[in-house]
Short mmCIF file of all heavy atoms in Angstrom, two decimals:
data_model
loop_
_atom_site.label_atom_id
_atom_site.label_comp_id
_atom_site.label_asym_id
_atom_site.label_seq_id
_atom_site.Cartn_x
_atom_site.Cartn_y
_atom_site.Cartn_z
N PRO A 288 -23.71 -102.02 -39.22
CA PRO A 288 -22.30 -102.45 -39.17
C PRO A 288 -21.44 -101.52 -38.33
O PRO A 288 -20.52 -101.96 -37.66
CB PRO A 288 -21.87 -102.41 -40.63
CG PRO A 288 -23.12 -102.58 -41.41
CD PRO A 288 -24.19 -101.92 -40.60
N TYR A 289 -21.76 -100.23 -38.35
CA TYR A 289 -20.94 -99.28 -37.60
C TYR A 289 -21.37 -99.20 -36.15
O TYR A 289 -20.64 -98.69 -35.30
CB TYR A 289 -20.98 -97.91 -38.28
CG TYR A 289 -20.63 -98.05 -39.72
CD1 TYR A 289 -21.57 -97.88 -40.71
CD2 TYR A 289 -19.36 -98.49 -40.06
CE1 TYR A 289 -21.24 -98.10 -42.03
CE2 TYR A 289 -19.03 -98.72 -41.37
CZ TYR A 289 -19.96 -98.53 -42.35
OH TYR A 289 -19.64 -98.77 -43.66
N ALA A 290 -22.59 -99.64 -35.87
CA ALA A 290 -23.07 -99.60 -34.49
C ALA A 290 -22.69 -100.90 -33.78
O ALA A 290 -22.84 -101.01 -32.56
CB ALA A 290 -24.58 -99.41 -34.49
N PHE A 291 -22.18 -101.86 -34.55
CA PHE A 291 -21.97 -103.19 -33.98
C PHE A 291 -21.07 -103.18 -32.75
O PHE A 291 -21.36 -103.82 -31.75
CB PHE A 291 -21.37 -104.11 -35.05
CG PHE A 291 -21.37 -105.54 -34.66
CD1 PHE A 291 -22.50 -106.31 -34.83
CD2 PHE A 291 -20.26 -106.10 -34.07
CE1 PHE A 291 -22.52 -107.63 -34.45
CE2 PHE A 291 -20.26 -107.43 -33.68
CZ PHE A 291 -21.40 -108.19 -33.87
N GLY A 292 -19.97 -102.43 -32.83
CA GLY A 292 -19.04 -102.36 -31.70
C GLY A 292 -19.73 -101.88 -30.43
O GLY A 292 -19.58 -102.48 -29.37
N GLY A 293 -20.50 -100.82 -30.56
CA GLY A 293 -21.20 -100.26 -29.41
C GLY A 293 -22.22 -101.24 -28.84
O GLY A 293 -22.37 -101.38 -27.63
N ILE A 294 -22.93 -101.92 -29.75
CA ILE A 294 -23.92 -102.89 -29.30
C ILE A 294 -23.23 -104.03 -28.54
O ILE A 294 -23.69 -104.46 -27.48
CB ILE A 294 -24.71 -103.45 -30.51
CG1 ILE A 294 -25.51 -102.32 -31.16
CG2 ILE A 294 -25.63 -104.58 -30.08
CD1 ILE A 294 -26.23 -102.72 -32.42
N LEU A 295 -22.10 -104.46 -29.09
CA LEU A 295 -21.38 -105.56 -28.44
C LEU A 295 -20.88 -105.16 -27.05
O LEU A 295 -20.87 -105.97 -26.13
CB LEU A 295 -20.21 -105.98 -29.32
CG LEU A 295 -19.85 -107.46 -29.21
CD1 LEU A 295 -21.04 -108.31 -29.59
CD2 LEU A 295 -18.68 -107.78 -30.11
N THR A 296 -20.51 -103.90 -26.91
CA THR A 296 -20.12 -103.42 -25.59
C THR A 296 -21.27 -103.58 -24.61
O THR A 296 -21.09 -104.02 -23.47
CB THR A 296 -19.70 -101.94 -25.66
OG1 THR A 296 -18.72 -101.80 -26.68
CG2 THR A 296 -19.13 -101.47 -24.34
N GLY A 297 -22.48 -103.26 -25.05
CA GLY A 297 -23.66 -103.46 -24.22
C GLY A 297 -23.86 -104.92 -23.88
O GLY A 297 -24.19 -105.28 -22.75
N VAL A 298 -23.62 -105.78 -24.87
CA VAL A 298 -23.77 -107.22 -24.63
C VAL A 298 -22.76 -107.69 -23.59
O VAL A 298 -23.10 -108.46 -22.68
CB VAL A 298 -23.60 -108.01 -25.95
CG1 VAL A 298 -23.60 -109.50 -25.69
CG2 VAL A 298 -24.70 -107.64 -26.93
N ILE A 299 -21.53 -107.20 -23.70
CA ILE A 299 -20.50 -107.58 -22.73
C ILE A 299 -20.92 -107.17 -21.32
O ILE A 299 -20.83 -107.94 -20.37
CB ILE A 299 -19.14 -106.93 -23.09
CG1 ILE A 299 -18.62 -107.54 -24.39
CG2 ILE A 299 -18.13 -107.10 -21.97
CD1 ILE A 299 -17.37 -106.88 -24.91
N LEU A 300 -21.42 -105.94 -21.20
CA LEU A 300 -21.88 -105.47 -19.89
C LEU A 300 -22.98 -106.38 -19.36
O LEU A 300 -22.99 -106.73 -18.17
CB LEU A 300 -22.41 -104.04 -20.00
CG LEU A 300 -21.38 -102.93 -20.08
CD1 LEU A 300 -22.06 -101.59 -20.28
CD2 LEU A 300 -20.55 -102.92 -18.80
N SER A 301 -23.91 -106.77 -20.22
CA SER A 301 -25.01 -107.58 -19.71
C SER A 301 -24.55 -108.99 -19.37
O SER A 301 -25.11 -109.60 -18.46
CB SER A 301 -26.20 -107.60 -20.68
OG SER A 301 -25.79 -107.54 -21.99
N ILE A 302 -23.54 -109.50 -20.08
CA ILE A 302 -23.01 -110.81 -19.71
C ILE A 302 -22.43 -110.76 -18.30
O ILE A 302 -22.71 -111.62 -17.45
CB ILE A 302 -21.91 -111.24 -20.71
CG1 ILE A 302 -22.54 -111.64 -22.04
CG2 ILE A 302 -21.13 -112.42 -20.15
CD1 ILE A 302 -21.53 -111.96 -23.11
N GLY A 303 -21.68 -109.71 -18.02
CA GLY A 303 -21.11 -109.55 -16.69
C GLY A 303 -22.20 -109.51 -15.63
O GLY A 303 -22.13 -110.17 -14.59
N ARG A 304 -23.23 -108.74 -15.95
CA ARG A 304 -24.33 -108.58 -15.00
C ARG A 304 -25.06 -109.91 -14.82
O ARG A 304 -25.30 -110.36 -13.70
CB ARG A 304 -25.25 -107.50 -15.58
CG ARG A 304 -26.32 -106.96 -14.72
CD ARG A 304 -25.92 -105.76 -13.90
NE ARG A 304 -26.80 -105.63 -12.75
CZ ARG A 304 -27.98 -104.99 -12.78
NH1 ARG A 304 -28.36 -104.38 -13.87
NH2 ARG A 304 -28.74 -104.96 -11.71
N ALA A 305 -25.42 -110.56 -15.92
CA ALA A 305 -26.22 -111.78 -15.84
C ALA A 305 -25.48 -112.91 -15.14
O ALA A 305 -26.07 -113.68 -14.38
CB ALA A 305 -26.64 -112.23 -17.24
N SER A 306 -24.18 -113.01 -15.38
CA SER A 306 -23.47 -114.14 -14.79
C SER A 306 -23.14 -113.90 -13.33
O SER A 306 -22.88 -114.85 -12.59
CB SER A 306 -22.18 -114.40 -15.58
OG SER A 306 -21.41 -113.23 -15.63
N GLY A 307 -23.17 -112.65 -12.89
CA GLY A 307 -22.75 -112.37 -11.52
C GLY A 307 -23.87 -112.18 -10.51
O GLY A 307 -23.64 -112.22 -9.31
N GLU A 308 -25.10 -111.95 -10.99
CA GLU A 308 -26.18 -111.62 -10.06
C GLU A 308 -26.71 -112.86 -9.33
O GLU A 308 -26.84 -113.93 -9.91
CB GLU A 308 -27.33 -110.96 -10.82
CG GLU A 308 -27.07 -109.50 -11.13
CD GLU A 308 -27.28 -108.59 -9.92
OE1 GLU A 308 -27.76 -109.07 -8.87
OE2 GLU A 308 -26.95 -107.39 -10.04
N THR A 309 -27.03 -112.68 -8.07
CA THR A 309 -27.61 -113.76 -7.28
C THR A 309 -29.12 -113.59 -7.11
O THR A 309 -29.89 -114.53 -7.30
CB THR A 309 -26.99 -113.80 -5.87
OG1 THR A 309 -25.59 -113.63 -6.00
CG2 THR A 309 -27.29 -115.09 -5.18
N ALA A 310 -29.53 -112.37 -6.80
CA ALA A 310 -30.93 -112.15 -6.43
C ALA A 310 -31.93 -112.58 -7.49
O ALA A 310 -32.93 -113.22 -7.16
CB ALA A 310 -31.12 -110.68 -6.05
N PRO A 311 -31.71 -112.29 -8.77
CA PRO A 311 -32.74 -112.63 -9.75
C PRO A 311 -32.94 -114.15 -9.90
O PRO A 311 -34.03 -114.59 -10.28
CB PRO A 311 -32.22 -112.05 -11.06
CG PRO A 311 -31.21 -111.04 -10.67
CD PRO A 311 -30.62 -111.51 -9.39
N ILE A 312 -31.89 -114.95 -9.61
CA ILE A 312 -32.05 -116.39 -9.79
C ILE A 312 -32.38 -117.11 -8.50
O ILE A 312 -32.69 -118.28 -8.49
CB ILE A 312 -30.77 -117.01 -10.41
CG1 ILE A 312 -29.55 -116.66 -9.58
CG2 ILE A 312 -30.60 -116.58 -11.84
CD1 ILE A 312 -28.29 -117.39 -10.03
N LEU A 313 -32.33 -116.33 -7.41
CA LEU A 313 -32.54 -116.92 -6.08
C LEU A 313 -33.83 -117.74 -6.01
O LEU A 313 -33.83 -118.89 -5.59
CB LEU A 313 -32.58 -115.77 -5.06
CG LEU A 313 -32.47 -116.10 -3.59
CD1 LEU A 313 -31.18 -116.84 -3.33
CD2 LEU A 313 -32.49 -114.79 -2.78
N PHE A 314 -34.95 -117.14 -6.46
CA PHE A 314 -36.23 -117.86 -6.38
C PHE A 314 -36.64 -118.46 -7.72
O PHE A 314 -37.64 -119.14 -7.81
CB PHE A 314 -37.34 -116.90 -5.97
CG PHE A 314 -36.99 -116.03 -4.82
CD1 PHE A 314 -36.92 -114.65 -4.99
CD2 PHE A 314 -36.71 -116.57 -3.57
CE1 PHE A 314 -36.58 -113.84 -3.93
CE2 PHE A 314 -36.38 -115.76 -2.52
CZ PHE A 314 -36.31 -114.39 -2.69
N THR A 315 -35.89 -118.17 -8.76
CA THR A 315 -36.39 -118.57 -10.08
C THR A 315 -35.64 -119.73 -10.70
O THR A 315 -36.17 -120.41 -11.58
CB THR A 315 -36.33 -117.39 -11.07
OG1 THR A 315 -34.97 -116.93 -11.13
CG2 THR A 315 -37.22 -116.25 -10.64
N ALA A 316 -34.38 -119.94 -10.29
CA ALA A 316 -33.62 -120.96 -11.02
C ALA A 316 -32.61 -121.71 -10.17
O ALA A 316 -32.35 -122.89 -10.42
CB ALA A 316 -32.88 -120.31 -12.19
N ALA A 317 -32.05 -121.03 -9.18
CA ALA A 317 -30.87 -121.59 -8.54
C ALA A 317 -31.21 -122.71 -7.55
O ALA A 317 -32.14 -122.60 -6.76
CB ALA A 317 -30.11 -120.49 -7.82
N ALA A 318 -30.44 -123.77 -7.65
CA ALA A 318 -30.59 -124.87 -6.72
C ALA A 318 -29.54 -124.77 -5.61
O ALA A 318 -28.41 -124.37 -5.86
CB ALA A 318 -30.43 -126.20 -7.45
N PHE A 319 -29.97 -125.09 -4.40
CA PHE A 319 -29.08 -125.07 -3.25
C PHE A 319 -28.00 -126.14 -3.42
O PHE A 319 -26.83 -125.91 -3.22
CB PHE A 319 -29.93 -125.34 -2.00
CG PHE A 319 -29.18 -125.19 -0.72
CD1 PHE A 319 -29.02 -123.94 -0.14
CD2 PHE A 319 -28.66 -126.30 -0.07
CE1 PHE A 319 -28.34 -123.80 1.05
CE2 PHE A 319 -27.99 -126.17 1.13
CZ PHE A 319 -27.84 -124.92 1.69
N TYR A 320 -28.45 -127.31 -3.80
CA TYR A 320 -27.53 -128.43 -3.95
C TYR A 320 -28.07 -129.38 -5.00
O TYR A 320 -29.17 -129.91 -4.84
CB TYR A 320 -27.37 -129.15 -2.61
CG TYR A 320 -26.52 -130.41 -2.73
CD1 TYR A 320 -25.15 -130.32 -2.93
CD2 TYR A 320 -27.11 -131.67 -2.66
CE1 TYR A 320 -24.38 -131.46 -3.06
CE2 TYR A 320 -26.35 -132.82 -2.79
CZ TYR A 320 -24.98 -132.70 -2.99
OH TYR A 320 -24.23 -133.83 -3.12
N LEU A 321 -27.35 -129.56 -6.07
CA LEU A 321 -27.85 -130.36 -7.18
C LEU A 321 -26.65 -130.95 -7.91
O LEU A 321 -26.10 -130.34 -8.81
CB LEU A 321 -28.66 -129.48 -8.15
CG LEU A 321 -29.45 -130.17 -9.23
CD1 LEU A 321 -30.71 -130.80 -8.66
CD2 LEU A 321 -29.81 -129.18 -10.32
N PRO A 322 -26.21 -132.10 -7.47
CA PRO A 322 -24.92 -132.60 -7.95
C PRO A 322 -24.91 -132.99 -9.43
O PRO A 322 -23.85 -133.21 -9.99
CB PRO A 322 -24.66 -133.82 -7.07
CG PRO A 322 -25.98 -134.21 -6.52
CD PRO A 322 -26.83 -133.00 -6.49
N HIS A 323 -26.07 -133.09 -10.09
CA HIS A 323 -26.02 -133.45 -11.52
C HIS A 323 -26.36 -132.23 -12.38
O HIS A 323 -26.83 -131.20 -11.88
CB HIS A 323 -26.99 -134.59 -11.81
CG HIS A 323 -28.42 -134.24 -11.53
ND1 HIS A 323 -29.20 -133.55 -12.42
CD2 HIS A 323 -29.20 -134.45 -10.44
CE1 HIS A 323 -30.40 -133.36 -11.90
NE2 HIS A 323 -30.42 -133.90 -10.70
N LEU A 324 -26.12 -132.34 -13.67
CA LEU A 324 -26.40 -131.23 -14.58
C LEU A 324 -27.88 -131.20 -14.94
O LEU A 324 -28.56 -132.22 -14.88
CB LEU A 324 -25.57 -131.39 -15.86
CG LEU A 324 -24.07 -131.41 -15.66
CD1 LEU A 324 -23.36 -131.51 -17.01
CD2 LEU A 324 -23.61 -130.17 -14.91
N PRO A 325 -28.40 -130.03 -15.30
CA PRO A 325 -29.83 -129.96 -15.68
C PRO A 325 -30.08 -130.81 -16.92
O PRO A 325 -29.25 -130.86 -17.83
CB PRO A 325 -30.03 -128.47 -15.98
CG PRO A 325 -28.66 -127.94 -16.25
CD PRO A 325 -27.74 -128.73 -15.40
N ARG A 326 -31.24 -131.46 -16.94
CA ARG A 326 -31.54 -132.33 -18.08
C ARG A 326 -32.44 -131.66 -19.10
O ARG A 326 -32.55 -132.10 -20.23
CB ARG A 326 -32.19 -133.62 -17.57
CG ARG A 326 -31.22 -134.44 -16.74
CD ARG A 326 -31.76 -135.82 -16.41
NE ARG A 326 -30.79 -136.47 -15.54
CZ ARG A 326 -30.89 -136.50 -14.21
NH1 ARG A 326 -31.93 -135.93 -13.60
NH2 ARG A 326 -29.96 -137.06 -13.46
N SER A 327 -33.15 -130.62 -18.67
CA SER A 327 -33.96 -129.86 -19.62
C SER A 327 -34.05 -128.43 -19.13
O SER A 327 -33.57 -128.10 -18.05
CB SER A 327 -35.36 -130.45 -19.72
OG SER A 327 -36.16 -129.96 -18.66
N ILE A 328 -34.67 -127.58 -19.96
CA ILE A 328 -34.76 -126.17 -19.56
C ILE A 328 -35.74 -125.99 -18.40
O ILE A 328 -35.86 -124.91 -17.85
CB ILE A 328 -35.19 -125.28 -20.73
CG1 ILE A 328 -36.44 -125.84 -21.42
CG2 ILE A 328 -34.06 -125.13 -21.74
CD1 ILE A 328 -37.02 -124.88 -22.43
N PHE A 329 -36.45 -127.07 -18.03
CA PHE A 329 -37.36 -126.95 -16.89
C PHE A 329 -36.74 -127.44 -15.59
O PHE A 329 -37.39 -127.50 -14.56
CB PHE A 329 -38.67 -127.67 -17.18
CG PHE A 329 -39.44 -127.02 -18.29
CD1 PHE A 329 -39.50 -127.59 -19.55
CD2 PHE A 329 -40.08 -125.80 -18.08
CE1 PHE A 329 -40.18 -126.96 -20.58
CE2 PHE A 329 -40.77 -125.17 -19.10
CZ PHE A 329 -40.82 -125.75 -20.35
N ASP A 330 -35.44 -127.79 -15.67
CA ASP A 330 -34.73 -128.21 -14.46
C ASP A 330 -34.15 -127.00 -13.74
O ASP A 330 -33.84 -125.99 -14.36
CB ASP A 330 -33.57 -129.14 -14.85
CG ASP A 330 -33.99 -130.58 -14.79
OD1 ASP A 330 -35.19 -130.83 -14.54
OD2 ASP A 330 -33.13 -131.45 -15.01
N GLN A 331 -33.98 -127.18 -12.43
CA GLN A 331 -33.22 -126.19 -11.69
C GLN A 331 -31.74 -126.33 -12.02
O GLN A 331 -31.30 -127.38 -12.49
CB GLN A 331 -33.41 -126.40 -10.19
CG GLN A 331 -34.63 -125.68 -9.63
CD GLN A 331 -34.63 -125.73 -8.13
OE1 GLN A 331 -34.69 -126.80 -7.55
NE2 GLN A 331 -34.56 -124.58 -7.50
N VAL A 332 -30.96 -125.28 -11.77
CA VAL A 332 -29.52 -125.38 -11.99
C VAL A 332 -28.79 -124.81 -10.77
O VAL A 332 -29.34 -124.01 -10.03
CB VAL A 332 -29.06 -124.59 -13.23
CG1 VAL A 332 -29.50 -125.27 -14.49
CG2 VAL A 332 -29.56 -123.15 -13.16
N MET A 333 -27.55 -125.25 -10.62
CA MET A 333 -26.69 -124.54 -9.67
C MET A 333 -26.06 -123.38 -10.43
O MET A 333 -25.96 -123.40 -11.66
CB MET A 333 -25.59 -125.46 -9.16
CG MET A 333 -26.12 -126.59 -8.30
SD MET A 333 -24.80 -127.42 -7.40
CE MET A 333 -24.53 -126.31 -6.03
N ALA A 334 -25.64 -122.35 -9.70
CA ALA A 334 -24.99 -121.22 -10.36
C ALA A 334 -23.90 -120.70 -9.44
O ALA A 334 -24.03 -120.75 -8.22
CB ALA A 334 -26.01 -120.12 -10.66
N LEU A 335 -22.83 -120.23 -10.03
CA LEU A 335 -21.67 -119.82 -9.23
C LEU A 335 -21.99 -118.76 -8.16
O LEU A 335 -21.60 -118.92 -7.01
CB LEU A 335 -20.54 -119.35 -10.15
CG LEU A 335 -19.80 -120.48 -10.88
CD1 LEU A 335 -18.92 -119.92 -11.98
CD2 LEU A 335 -18.97 -121.31 -9.91
N PRO A 336 -22.67 -117.67 -8.53
CA PRO A 336 -22.88 -116.66 -7.49
C PRO A 336 -23.69 -117.19 -6.31
O PRO A 336 -23.39 -116.90 -5.16
CB PRO A 336 -23.63 -115.54 -8.21
CG PRO A 336 -23.73 -115.92 -9.62
CD PRO A 336 -23.20 -117.28 -9.82
N TYR A 337 -24.72 -117.96 -6.63
CA TYR A 337 -25.57 -118.48 -5.55
C TYR A 337 -24.83 -119.54 -4.75
O TYR A 337 -24.92 -119.60 -3.52
CB TYR A 337 -26.87 -119.04 -6.14
CG TYR A 337 -27.82 -119.56 -5.07
CD1 TYR A 337 -28.32 -118.68 -4.10
CD2 TYR A 337 -28.22 -120.89 -5.03
CE1 TYR A 337 -29.18 -119.13 -3.13
CE2 TYR A 337 -29.08 -121.35 -4.06
CZ TYR A 337 -29.56 -120.46 -3.11
OH TYR A 337 -30.40 -120.90 -2.14
N HIS A 338 -24.06 -120.36 -5.42
CA HIS A 338 -23.26 -121.38 -4.75
C HIS A 338 -22.27 -120.70 -3.80
O HIS A 338 -22.07 -121.15 -2.66
CB HIS A 338 -22.50 -122.22 -5.79
CG HIS A 338 -21.78 -123.39 -5.21
ND1 HIS A 338 -22.41 -124.33 -4.42
CD2 HIS A 338 -20.48 -123.77 -5.29
CE1 HIS A 338 -21.53 -125.23 -4.04
NE2 HIS A 338 -20.35 -124.91 -4.55
N LEU A 339 -21.70 -119.61 -4.26
CA LEU A 339 -20.76 -118.85 -3.42
C LEU A 339 -21.46 -118.34 -2.17
O LEU A 339 -20.97 -118.48 -1.05
CB LEU A 339 -20.22 -117.67 -4.24
CG LEU A 339 -19.38 -116.64 -3.48
CD1 LEU A 339 -18.12 -117.29 -2.94
CD2 LEU A 339 -19.01 -115.49 -4.41
N TYR A 340 -22.66 -117.80 -2.37
CA TYR A 340 -23.44 -117.29 -1.24
C TYR A 340 -23.74 -118.41 -0.25
O TYR A 340 -23.58 -118.26 0.96
CB TYR A 340 -24.72 -116.67 -1.79
CG TYR A 340 -25.78 -116.40 -0.76
CD1 TYR A 340 -25.66 -115.34 0.13
CD2 TYR A 340 -26.92 -117.22 -0.68
CE1 TYR A 340 -26.64 -115.09 1.08
CE2 TYR A 340 -27.89 -116.97 0.26
CZ TYR A 340 -27.76 -115.92 1.14
OH TYR A 340 -28.71 -115.68 2.08
#
Side-chain angles (χ1 to χ4, degrees):
Chain A
Y289 307 110
F291 192 83
I294 295 175
L295 211 59
T296 308
V298 174
I299 292 174
L300 283 176
S301 34
I302 287 175
R304 190 90 202 274
S306 55
E308 282 282 353
T309 316
I312 54 173
L313 194 58
F314 313 117
T315 57
F319 187 84
Y320 174 72
L321 190 76
H323 62 83
L324 299 183
R326 294 190 184 96
S327 83
I328 51 171
F329 294 106
D330 266 5
Q331 273 189 297
V332 288
M333 293 193 80
L335 285 167
Y337 182 61
H338 187 53
L339 172 63
Y340 166 75

